[in-house]
Amino acid sequence: MPLTEKDIRGIAEYVRIGLTDEEVATMTRDLNNIIELNLKPITEYELDGVEPTFHPIGDLSNVMREDVVKAPFPREVALANSSSVKDGCFMIPSILGGEGDR
């Protein structure tokens, strides 16, 4: 079922963008073309008897690893490739105005 101009106007209102009548017509045509090209092939699969899944990995409930306390990353290693360091911290150019690095 193709999108109508009414659908496009509803979407535009929902996302709070203003569209002219010409833009609505163009958007309707373009979105229907996108749907036709990208989503129609999905409907060609034979899916009778295929159970829907809600997770691509199946019934796994927790795929996270256990938290393991490790020694902290040495500051010297972290700062080794920095071009500018002061008092054990990275120096970066100021982005809020002012002169110099912070």
Side-chain angles (χ1 to χ4, degrees):
M1 181 168 150
L3 295 171
T4 64
E5 288 190 3
K6 182 180 178 185
D7 296 327
I8 300 303
R9 289 182 196 285
I11 293 168
E13 182 180 337
Y14 181 75
V15 297
R16 292 180 166 70
I17 58 173
L19 296 176
T20 65
D21 290 341
E22 183 180 314
E23 291 171 327
V24 169
T26 300
M27 189 67 66
T28 303
R29 184 187 68 245
D30 290 349
L31 285 176
N32 280 316
N33 287 338
I34 290 168
I35 290 168
E36 180 73 21
L37 290 172
N38 296 304
L39 298 180
K40 188 174 182 199
I42 294 172
T43 64
E44 296 173 1
Y45 291 106
E46 179 60 44
L47 299 176
D48 290 338
V50 176
E51 291 292 320
T53 59
F54 297 99
H55 194 282
I57 302 177
D59 292 332
L60 295 178
S61 61
N62 184 3
V63 295
M64 304 297 215
R65 65 172 171 77
E66 292 294 322
D67 288 333
V68 177
V69 177
K70 295 181 179 181
F73 197 75
R75 181 181 293 188
E76 297 76 28
V77 174
L79 298 173
N81 291 322
S82 177
S83 61
S84 184
V85 176
K86 180 179 179 184
D87 298 327
C89 299
F90 293 103
M91 294 288 291
I92 60 169
S94 176
I95 60 170
L96 300 175
E99 298 295 323
D101 294 334
R102 298 189 183 257

